[in-house]
Amino acid sequence: MGEIENMIDRIRQGDKVTLSKLITKMENDPELRKEVIKRIYGCPVKGKIICFTGPPGVGKSTLIDHVISILTERGKKVGVILVDPRSPYTGGSLLGDRIRMQRHATNPNVFIRSISCADNPEGISRSVKDILKVMGLSGMDYIIVETVGTGQIAVEVSYICHTTVLVLMPNMGDDIQMMKAGIIESADIYVINKSDIGGADLTEAYLKDNVEPRNGWEPPIIRTVGYNRATVIPLIEKIEEHLKYENPMYMEKIKGLLKTMFLDYIDDLACRFLEKESKFEEFVDKVANCGCDYYTAVEELYDIFKKEVICRDKKD
Amino acid sequence: MRKRILIAKVGLDGHDRGAKVVARALKNAGFEVIYTGIRQSPEQVVETAIQEDVSLIGLSCLSGAHIPLFKKVIELMKEKGVDIPVFCGGTIPPGDVEILKKMGMKEVFGPGAPLKLIVEKVKKWVK
């Protein structure tokens, strides 16, 4: 595994080609991902992670384009991870977020990577959490994550990021939409983009009614217009302010994230076991033909898992 | 193993229908396609290919400037020490096809090139 250490060293020195290659390897190989994380766990990460989430088409990528401009003009290094959906039917994807920020493609202080996501309804794929760790080694001051266009349940991102920005636009629904649980409760900063198209007053009023202070932080609501860079500056100021704010519930937040990561890994192990276990298909057949119920089938598979995997590992 | 392809339009040329049709066909064939959009410089294309770690680049040009622009992309890759195969398409005069292939293009697809053929070839190149 000397190769991994070599790559990590080069990434620490700011080598973008190696960073890009290691991201590919981590995406394709969960075993390698694990080895990388075992090596870098506990390493201090300099970069602050800012997440942009919200429904498709509200202008997340366009806002990020301005944010990159403003931050790099202030001498900062910025890494960007853009997550777009992968087709559950063909496995293919069209990664089209970076089209909005191609003017930064040749900036040596910017690294942009598009990632497809299929395995997580919450807007980021599992590998992204690990990839963020690796990007953190490369000396970037900020790491921006753009989620898949998400609706109502992308709460998990708020655990991963220092600051979560929820981007909305006018005329997306009435106050009932804002009253629903989930994403509306999770952001640190709310943006009403495309606020020049009319209807922004009502959207802001609905938001104001439903966004509540959390642990001493009062989430601001900011209006932006994608083609007007000046409107994005107040957003940056609020992001900076939030990054300085010390969340008294920080440890709780981290523990929340860790719990989801534990569960993810258990899920991974179970999936890999099932892929190899010939009885899996047999049980599926049996349930499909009403031979038994799926609870019983899973319990029997779990017994095999305990006997074969856990006992075997103990012997090793 | 996910297979990543960059589709890019170089130069001052807004005709992106062809590039989009090819990008969609490759997406439907199960590839991860990164599309840069129009009016890219060769520098942007090469830097994007590096950061996205793609296994193949598809260049599109309908402005007539394909020879110097595609050549620049290939030169820049050599300079940066990366070796990614490239194919291209657009309104390319038959007389230029050989020149482009000598330059290193895997294939040159003109107007009317069947999508099935493009997908088949790409599948061969990106294994």
Side-chain angles (χ1 to χ4, degrees):
Chain A
M1 282 294 172
E3 193 202 346
I4 294 182
E5 257 131 43
N6 256 333
M7 291 184 99
I8 292 170
D9 269 351
R10 282 198 299 254
I11 290 169
R12 280 214 176 90
Q13 288 154 21
D15 180 348
K16 279 191 198 173
V17 178
T18 307
L19 175 59
S20 171
K21 293 271 177 212
L22 190 60
I23 292 175
T24 310
K25 282 177 190 278
M26 288 174 75
E27 273 219 284
N28 285 316
D29 182 354
E31 277 301 312
L32 181 135
R33 206 156 79 211
K34 189 174 81 187
E35 290 306 320
V36 172
I37 293 305
K38 284 187 177 180
R39 276 170 177 73
I40 63 173
Y41 184 76
C43 292
V45 171
K46 180 183 167 198
K48 294 287 179 197
I49 303 171
I50 306 162
C51 175
F52 281 72
T53 186
V58 293
K60 298 184 289 295
S61 306
T62 305
L63 287 177
I64 290 173
D65 171 58
H66 287 302
V67 171
I68 300 171
S69 287
I70 297 165
L71 291 176
T72 48
E73 280 162 25
R74 294 178 183 177
K76 304 295 184 192
K77 285 189 178 161
V78 185
V80 186
I81 290 190
L82 305 165
V83 190
D84 259 339
R86 185 189 315 150
S87 164
Y89 306 105
T90 65
S93 52
L94 192 100
L95 308 177
D97 286 331
R98 72 175 293 142
I99 197 168
R100 321 282 170 200
M101 50 194 90
Q102 266 305 84
R103 60 176 163 152
H104 305 295
T106 56
N107 186 330
N109 291 327
V110 179
F111 177 91
I112 303 173
R113 179 62 176 249
S114 318
I115 286 176
S116 74
C117 163
D119 59 359
N120 194 327
E122 304 212 330
I124 47 163
S125 67
R126 283 176 191 171
S127 58
V128 168
K129 291 172 218 164
D130 292 342
I131 288 167
L132 280 170
K133 272 240 165 229
V134 173
M135 281 184 85
L137 296 176
S138 63
M140 285 150 184
D141 299 293
Y142 297 89
I143 300 168
I144 298 172
V145 184
E146 178 179 341
T147 69
V148 171
T150 43
Q152 296 168 328
I153 52 166
V155 180
E156 195 182 333
V157 284
S158 68
Y159 288 122
I160 295 174
C161 304
H162 296 103
T163 300
T164 304
V165 180
L166 174 63
V167 186
L168 300 167
M169 57 182 263
N171 307 322
M172 294 194 69
D174 63 6
D175 55 337
I176 298 296
Q177 297 304 330
M178 304 284 187
M179 284 159 68
K180 290 180 181 171
I183 194 168
I184 287 286
E185 301 169 306
S186 68
D188 303 307
I189 296 169
Y190 294 81
V191 171
I192 304 168
N193 192 37
K194 308 190 191 186
S195 58
D196 56 332
I197 61 174
D201 285 345
L202 208 52
T203 305
E204 186 169 340
Y206 290 154
L207 261 178
K208 266 190 183 148
D209 273 349
N210 291 288
V211 172
E212 283 165 20
R214 284 189 296 272
N215 310 315
W217 172 259
E218 191 150 341
I221 300 164
I222 296 162
R223 291 190 191 197
T224 56
V225 177
Y227 58 79
N228 184 351
R229 169 196 151 110
T231 62
V232 183
I233 291 173
L235 169 61
I236 304 252
E237 303 316 330
K238 282 293 169 192
I239 289 173
E240 294 289 358
E241 202 180 302
H242 185 261
L243 288 174
K244 281 187 200 117
Y245 148 79
E246 279 176 26
N247 186 349
M249 300 299 281
Y250 185 72
M251 264 328 267
E252 299 308 308
K253 196 171 144 171
I254 294 294
K255 282 182 191 164
L257 168 64
L258 285 174
K259 277 180 195 162
T260 67
M261 289 169 88
F262 280 27
L263 292 175
D264 279 357
Y265 188 44
I266 291 169
D267 187 28
D268 248 19
L269 290 176
C271 286
R272 275 188 254 165
F273 161 72
L274 289 177
E275 269 169 23
K276 286 186 202 145
E277 178 52 56
S278 56
K279 290 242 167 63
F280 182 32
E281 286 293 330
E282 273 175 38
F283 275 115
V284 173
D285 274 349
K286 207 171 164 188
V287 177
N289 292 307
C290 303
C292 77
D293 65 282
Y294 73 92
Y295 288 107
T296 309
V298 171
E299 276 164 7
E300 285 184 31
L301 278 167
Y302 181 63
D303 281 340
I304 301 172
F305 178 75
K306 274 199 295 196
K307 264 183 222 142
E308 290 191 3
V309 180
I310 301 177
C311 295
R312 188 196 60 209
D313 283 358
K314 270 186 189 159
K315 271 181 218 154
D316 287 348
Chain B
M1 180 87 187
R2 259 167 259 152
K3 292 159 185 165
R4 295 165 66 84
I5 301 172
L6 182 69
I7 298 293
K9 280 200 61 70
V10 275
L12 291 176
D13 166 20
H15 304 85
D16 60 353
R17 181 62 63 92
K20 282 176 176 165
V21 167
V22 170
R24 204 168 60 200
L26 293 173
K27 178 200 75 175
N28 290 341
F31 291 98
E32 267 185 22
V33 183
I34 295 118
Y35 178 50
T36 62
I38 56 174
R39 297 192 195 114
Q40 300 291 298
S41 68
E43 286 82 359
Q44 281 174 307
V45 174
V46 172
E47 203 47 56
T48 302
I50 290 173
Q51 294 182 22
E52 297 288 356
D53 195 21
V54 292
S55 337
L56 180 70
I57 302 174
L59 295 175
S60 157
C61 182
L62 288 84
S63 72
H66 44 275
I67 289 180
L69 288 169
F70 293 176
K71 199 174 163 198
K72 185 86 201 204
V73 170
I74 290 186
E75 283 171 1
L76 280 169
M77 280 207 285
K78 274 189 191 143
E79 256 174 54
K80 300 215 168 224
V82 285
D83 183 21
I84 305 168
V86 186
F87 73 102
C88 66
T91 44
I92 289 161
D96 288 352
V97 171
E98 268 317 296
I99 302 173
L100 290 170
K101 282 194 171 171
K102 269 190 191 140
M103 207 187 274
M105 292 292 148
K106 301 274 297 176
E107 193 56 81
V108 181
F109 296 108
L115 285 172
K116 243 187 168 168
L117 177 74
I118 298 176
V119 170
E120 264 169 33
K121 292 240 175 185
V122 167
K123 277 185 177 165
K124 259 187 219 157
W125 299 329
V126 187
K127 273 188 182 148

